[in-house]
Amino acid sequence: MTDPDTLLARAATVLRAAPEPGWEAISDRVLAAVRAATQHGRPLIATPAPVDPGPGALLVTDRVLCSTLARVLRRHHPCRPTGIDLDIDEGILRGLTIEITARYGTDLPVLADQIARTAATVVTDLLGDSADPALDTIRVIVTDLVTDGGQAPTPPA
């Protein structure tokens, strides 16, 4: 069997000798995506919410919560989530911050309120009673605006 380190070293040598045109322009993004894909998620305690979960406790990773939340927000609101930051303390979700790109001309306070309510529903669906403290601490920040030709889609009716 071939040693994985030897195989990777040989592959790296071959790739460096014949780089893909334009690789330099995208290499940082590709490497960041690869690193992110291999990171482990942090466990969040779901119902009930003991400080020290024992055997049989239900845990949901932060990555599952973030991906579910982003998917639901894109589907139901005219926005594009660009960042979701979770405040986790000893496995308990204490709050979250959602950064979005929205359409120019959107009533941003109304949109932020709708997004916060949707986020609270998603968090409760995934984490149950352990989400109660987090529901009071949901922040929505608009980081960019796009015109009709931008990437903030209108949700289906």
Side-chain angles (χ1 to χ4, degrees):
M1 180 169 170
T2 305
D3 178 26
D5 290 336
T6 304
L7 183 62
L8 287 175
R10 187 172 50 190
T13 301
V14 169
L15 290 173
R16 284 188 187 108
E20 183 69 24
W23 168 250
E24 298 81 14
I26 64 167
S27 65
D28 289 339
R29 287 183 293 174
V30 170
L31 291 173
V34 169
R35 288 183 185 117
T38 60
Q39 294 173 352
H40 296 285
R42 295 176 291 173
L44 297 166
I45 301 169
T47 305
V51 173
D52 182 21
L58 178 62
L59 302 175
V60 176
T61 68
D62 60 339
R63 295 178 72 155
V64 168
L65 176 59
C66 288
S67 65
T68 302
L69 190 53
R71 185 177 64 251
V72 169
L73 292 177
R74 281 192 306 270
R75 186 176 297 145
H76 296 288
H77 299 287
C79 72
R80 182 171 42 109
T82 55
I84 299 174
D85 184 42
L86 305 178
D87 178 13
I88 301 170
D89 181 31
E90 295 187 22
I92 307 247
L93 181 65
R94 301 292 181 193
L96 62 147
T97 301
I98 303 167
E99 296 179 357
I100 63 163
T101 295
R103 280 194 195 280
Y104 178 79
T106 300
D107 187 342
L108 297 178
V110 170
L111 177 62
D113 185 54
Q114 291 170 346
I115 288 172
R117 284 197 309 264
T118 299
T121 300
V122 169
V123 168
T124 301
D125 287 349
L126 286 176
L127 300 180
D129 294 340
S130 67
D132 286 346
L135 300 183
D136 294 331
T137 317
I138 299 175
R139 294 179 14 171
V140 178
I141 301 170
V142 179
T143 58
D144 198 6
L145 296 173
V146 295
T147 60
D148 287 338
Q151 295 292 320
T154 302

